[in-house]
Amino acid sequence: MSNQDKVRQLVELREKARLGGGEHRIEDQHKKGKYTARERIEMILDEGSFEEFDMFVTHRSHDFGLENQHYLSDGVITGHGTIDGRVVYIFSQDFTVFGGSLSETFALKVCKVMDQAMKVGAPIIGINDSGGARIQEGVKSLAGYAEIFQRNIMASGVIPQISAIFGPCAGGAVYSPALTDVIIMSEKTSYMFVTGPRVTKTVTGEDISTEDLGGADVHTSKSGVAHFKADDEQEGFMLIRKVLEYLPQNNLEDPPLAECNDPIDRMDDSLNEVIPEDPNKPYNVKDVIYPIVDHGEFLEFHRHYAKNIVVGFAHFNGIPCGIVANQPNFLAGVLDINSSRKAARFVRFCDAFNIPIVTLVDVPGFLPGSAQEYGGIITHGAKLMFAYGEATVPKVTITLRKSYGGAHDVMGSKQLRGDINYAWPTAEIAVMGPKGAIEVLEGKNIAKIEDQKERANYFANKEQEYRDKFANPYEAARYGYIDDVIEPRNTRFRIIRALSTLSTKKDKNPVKKHSNIPL
Ligand code: HXC
C-alpha cells in the first residue's frame, strides 16, 4: 500500500467510524427527536475544538454473534475539547451501536478520559443514552461499570462532573450519573430507573409507564435525582455550558470571575417593600434574588423539587456564588426532609469547588409531624447543619424575616462559621414564633380565663409583647450574632463588599480521614 493509499485508508476508516451503527440507525435516532453521540459533542463544545480518542476501538467479544459485528468506536465517543476556551473531557454514548450498551472496551474508553481529566484537572461531561450493560458481555460489562463508578467516586470534589441523560439510563447504569455533581435530563426522551416498568409489574404488581416511573418530570420534581429538566437537547447543551461558567476547573482553583457591567452600588427600592406588613403573608424570595445579583441572572438548581428552598448560582460583581434561600411562597419556607437534603448537597457542592455561599433566611422552623419524624428529619436536617458547619468558603448570610429555633442555627448562622451576618430591619430572630411562644409560656394562664373575648385579648397582648421584645433583629445584634442591620435596598452592595473582603479568607477543618456526615 502506498503512503497515499494509507492516508486514504485513514480517511475512510474515520468516515466509517463517524457513521456509528450506520445510516438507518442514525435516522432512527433522529426520528426519536434525539441527536447522535457525535452531534451532541459538536454542539456542546466550542466549534472545532473536539479531539477524539480511541476512534478505532472495537469490542473483543465472541458470543451471541458479536464476533461478526464490529463497529469502530464501540458505542461511545470520547475525547476532549473546550467550552468557552476552557478544557473539558467528554464521553458520549452512541445509541446507534448496540443501543449504546456498555462493553469491556467501552468502559476502558470512558475510564481513559476520566483518568486524563483527573490528571489534567479538568471537568468531565458524560452524555448518557444507553441500553445498559452489553448483555452479550456478561460480567465484563458489570466490572466495566464498577471501574467507572470507582472513578466517579475518586473524582468527586476534585473535578466537576456533569451528566446529561438524553435517552435510556437504566439498571445499575444510573449510578454513574448519580455519583456526579449535576444531572440534566431531557424532557420526553430520557428516563432513569433502577428497575424498569416490566420488572416492576412482575415483582410488585404496579402498572406504571416509563415516563411516570423515571422520566424527567419525575426526577426533577418528585425524587430530586436530577437537577435540571431541559425542554430538548439543545437546552440541555446550553445548561451544561452555563453550569460550567460558575465552576473552577478543579478543587485547587477558584471559580472564574465573570465580566460585570452591573454597578455594584445599584440600589433597588423594591427591596424595602418586598416583605409584607403581615408577618404571616408569603412573598417570593426570587423577588429578592433577582434584584441583588449581577444583571438579574440566576441559574436555579432543582427548580421543581423541594420548592420551599431555592438554590442556585449567580454572580456578585463577577464573583460566582451559590445562593441558598428559604422560599416563603412554598410551605412558608419551612425546612423539611427534602429541602434539607437539597440544600445540604448544594452547600457541599459549592464548598468543594471554592464557591462562596450567600444565604437568604426566612424560615419559620422545621416542619412538624409524624411523617417528617418517621422519615428522619433529625438526620436530614443535621445534613444541612453539617454542610454549613463544615464549609470553609466565604459565607454571607442575610436574614430577611423569620429565623426561628433550630432552623436559625442551621441557615448559615454566625456560630456555624458564618463570616458576615446581616439582617434586614424586618428580621425576627428568636427561639420560636410569637404564637407558639405564648402558647408555651402562657398556656396555663390563658386556660384560666373563661371569657373567650378576654382570653383572645390576653393572648394578643402577650403575643405583641413577645413580638416587640424578640421578633426583631436587634436582640441578636446586641450579642453580635448579627454584624449589622442593613437597609434592604442596599443589600447588593453590602453583599459585594462582604464577598470582596472575604476573598482572601483562609479557614480549614481538622485533619481527618473524612467526616461522618449523617447520611
Ligand atoms: C446489547 C442492546 C442492549 C444491551 C439494546 N441493545 N440494549 N444490545 N445489550 N443492553 C440493542 C438492541 O438489541 C438493538 O439491536 C439496538 O440495541 C437498539 O435497541 P432497541 O431495543 O431496538 O431500541 P429501543 O426500542 O429504542 O429500546 C431501547 C431499550 C431496549 C429500552 C434500551 O433496547 C432495552 O430494553 N434494552 C435492554 C435493556 C437492559 O435490560 N439492559 C441491561 C440492564 S442490566 P438491533 O441490532 O436489533 O438494532 C444493566 C446492569 C448494569 O445494565 C449494572 C451496573 C452495575
Side-chain angles (χ1 to χ4, degrees), residues 24-25 28 32 34 66 69 71 95-102 130-136 141-143 145-146 149 168 170-175 191 198:
H24 74 277
R25 285 201 172 88
D28 284 350
K32 288 179 191 157
K34 304 199 289 183
L66 274 195
Q69 294 182 67
Y71 296 95
F95 193 82
T96 69
V97 176
F98 305 122
S101 57
L102 184 136
S130 163
R134 191 167 301 166
I135 295 162
Q136 301 92 327
S141 167
L142 297 187
Y145 271 117
F149 300 155
V174 295
Y175 287 111
Y191 55 84
R198 218 176 308 153

Side-chain angles (χ1 to χ4, degrees), residues 76-316:
V76 65
I77 315 304
T78 59
H80 61 84
T82 60
I83 288 184
D84 291 330
R86 300 195 299 157
V87 173
V88 295
Y89 283 78
I90 192 160
F91 65 87
S92 179
Q93 299 173 344
D94 183 355
F95 193 82
T96 69
V97 176
F98 305 122
S101 57
L102 184 136
S103 66
E104 179 197 11
T105 43
F106 178 128
L108 285 172
K109 284 182 67 172
V110 173
C111 290
K112 188 195 265 188
V113 277
M114 293 181 86
D115 289 343
Q116 288 233 0
M118 282 288 275
K119 271 192 233 162
V120 169
I124 178 107
I125 299 165
I127 311 293
N128 294 263
D129 183 3
S130 163
R134 191 167 301 166
I135 295 162
Q136 301 92 327
E137 295 220 5
V139 292
K140 280 187 278 182
S141 167
L142 297 187
Y145 271 117
E147 291 284 355
I148 295 170
F149 300 155
Q150 180 61 39
R151 281 163 178 79
N152 286 133
I153 294 162
M154 290 297 106
S156 183
V158 180
I159 52 171
Q161 302 183 79
I162 299 187
S163 302
I165 319 295
F166 290 153
C169 183
V174 295
Y175 287 111
S176 174
L179 292 166
T180 65
D181 299 304
V182 179
I183 300 182
I184 297 162
M185 291 183 78
S186 58
E187 187 139 31
K188 303 271 189 291
T189 48
S190 72
Y191 55 84
M192 295 177 84
F193 36 65
V194 171
T195 318
R198 218 176 308 153
V199 179
T200 300
K201 174 107 173 70
T202 314
V203 176
T204 69
E206 188 185 6
D207 204 351
I208 190 164
S209 70
T210 300
E211 188 73 16
D212 287 344
L213 189 60
D217 274 332
V218 165
H219 287 310
T220 51
S221 64
K222 285 190 164 55
S223 72
V225 164
H227 302 83
F228 294 98
K229 177 175 68 172
D231 285 346
D232 51 30
E233 290 189 22
Q234 296 274 3
E235 195 190 356
F237 306 151
M238 183 275 291
L239 279 166
I240 294 171
R241 295 180 65 98
K242 200 87 207 143
V243 168
L244 285 171
E245 267 178 35
Y246 295 89
L247 294 170
Q249 290 292 88
N250 56 64
N251 64 329
L252 299 179
E253 291 183 12
D254 284 330
L257 294 179
E259 205 177 305
C260 176
N261 309 315
D262 196 351
I264 60 169
D265 55 356
R266 175 173 54 74
M267 298 243 191
D268 198 309
D269 291 339
S270 74
L271 293 173
N272 279 7
E273 282 154 29
V274 78
I275 304 289
E277 291 294 336
D278 178 351
N280 296 321
K281 268 207 166 143
Y283 62 93
N284 190 346
V285 78
K286 290 181 208 171
D287 291 339
V288 177
I289 296 174
Y290 286 112
I292 60 176
V293 299
D294 290 358
H295 312 291
E297 277 175 31
F298 176 56
L299 179 65
E300 187 175 354
F301 279 55
H302 271 145
R303 182 146 57 102
H304 307 286
Y305 175 73
K307 291 191 231 172
N308 35 332
I309 206 154
V310 173
V311 302
F313 287 150
H315 291 105
F316 283 97

Side-chain angles (χ1 to χ4, degrees), residues 452-469:
Q452 208 178 338
K453 205 167 160 200
E454 204 182 315
R455 192 192 301 165
N457 267 344
Y458 184 85
F459 194 98
N461 285 342
K462 283 288 170 193
E463 204 179 323
Q464 193 53 46
E465 193 184 324
Y466 181 93
R467 190 176 293 286
D468 293 344
K469 175 109 186 77

Side-chain angles (χ1 to χ4, degrees), residues 5 13 40 154 173 214 218 234 297 338 345 347 373 410 425 471:
D5 286 342
L13 280 172
R40 286 166 176 160
M154 290 297 106
V218 165
Q234 296 274 3
E297 277 175 31
N338 290 349
R345 173 106 172 124
V347 166
E373 297 295 348
V410 169

Side-chain angles (χ1 to χ4, degrees), residues 290-365:
Y290 286 112
I292 60 176
V293 299
D294 290 358
H295 312 291
E297 277 175 31
F298 176 56
L299 179 65
E300 187 175 354
F301 279 55
H302 271 145
R303 182 146 57 102
H304 307 286
Y305 175 73
K307 291 191 231 172
N308 35 332
I309 206 154
V310 173
V311 302
F313 287 150
H315 291 105
F316 283 97
N317 194 26
I319 303 170
C321 287
I323 294 181
V324 180
N326 308 113
Q327 173 58 288
N329 241 358
F330 195 85
L331 292 175
V334 76
L335 280 180
D336 59 2
I337 291 170
N338 290 349
S339 61
S340 299
R341 285 176 45 232
K342 165 176 163 178
R345 173 106 172 124
F346 185 74
V347 166
R348 296 192 97 221
F349 180 34
C350 291
D351 189 49
F353 291 110
N354 311 318
I355 298 168
I357 298 161
V358 173
T359 305
L360 305 176
V361 184
D362 190 343
V363 63

